[in-house]
Amino acid sequence: MTVKEAILKSLEDINGLTNYMEIHDHIINKNYYHFGSAKTPPATISALLGDLIRNGDTRVKRLKQSGGTYSYYLTKNEQEIEIEILSRSTDTSPIKINKSKVKTYTERDLHKLLSSYLKNTKIYSKTIFHEHSKNGKDSNQIWTHPDMIGVKLLNLQTKVSQNFLKSINRVDTFKLSSYELKKEINSDSELKKAYFQAVSNSSWANYGYLVAYEFSDSLSDEMERLNQSFGIGIIELNANPYQSKILFPANYRDLDFKTIDKLCKINKEFEQFIEQTDRLMTAQERYYKSTEKELDEFCDSYFEIDTEIEKYCIDKNIPIED
């Protein structure tokens, strides 16, 4: 376990607001990392926490306390921390990173990065292989099938509120998303083609996104115009998936059940994803955890620790930021 992994593990264990000294003590008490002869381990932890924030790592947030110090917490634990405490502004300011121009990886190699980013935001995602569909070799299938689909379940804290919402409108207990993934988009024509492909194959979903590992800086104005006109969101994927950014958010739309039905008929993976989602939403309380595990195992794999990410990017020749 690296120092950074020990920090993230400690934040997970503490599950609340904490400072760098408490994290240091937790690491020592749990034997997560041995600092050896290092003279200032707490300073190292403080610096690494600062790096996580400055690099825009979406797993971690911080709150400024009196005296200029900071308290840290995991983003995914936000709902479990007192609301009045988190009403203060959080600091997650990312910095812009230039990416290298090595282009030897494939588009599908990026899927695990995206699935890791989505899992960190509590979205279960699944790659949809259009070549597995009926008439899968038809080139027009790319205008029908999303590259990936995802579902986010509404995280209500009590069983009473969950049952109450389900009795009113079951559709409101989850949100489905569609993702069109590209390696790079460098020109206006490439942007328009990719964007309208995302428009076409995400018409069924609550939210649609165009995702790319690299966008030309010159396309920002056109991306904003397209987003305002058609509502498809845009995500910039990063080699460290937790530093990925939503450049423009997606607009909410009602589900198109006719198109969902069509996709279920022609693609078995899509149908199984919808089926697994339905099973989780309708599971009795005693079966919920096991059903959630089934959905998680059916969905795309994701990275458990940061050292896996770097090795994966090197193996797949995905350019890592300087």
Side-chain angles (χ1 to χ4, degrees), residues 242-273:
Y242 310 112
Q243 293 176 19
S244 300
K245 297 185 289 290
I246 297 178
L247 301 180
F248 299 96
N251 291 345
Y252 175 82
R253 298 168 300 188
D254 291 332
L255 294 175
D256 178 354
F257 287 98
K258 286 188 176 180
T259 303
I260 290 174
D261 185 55
K262 174 184 175 181
L263 286 166
C264 285
K265 288 178 180 176
I266 64 177
N267 188 279
K268 193 66 177 176
E269 288 154 343
F270 187 96
E271 182 183 43
Q272 288 176 324
F273 183 86

Side-chain angles (χ1 to χ4, degrees), residues 142-147 178 180 196-204:
I142 64 172
W143 296 92
T144 304
H145 294 69
D147 287 325
S178 170
E180 178 62 35
F196 286 110
Q197 188 176 340
V199 170
S200 176
N201 61 31
S202 67
S203 63
W204 57 274

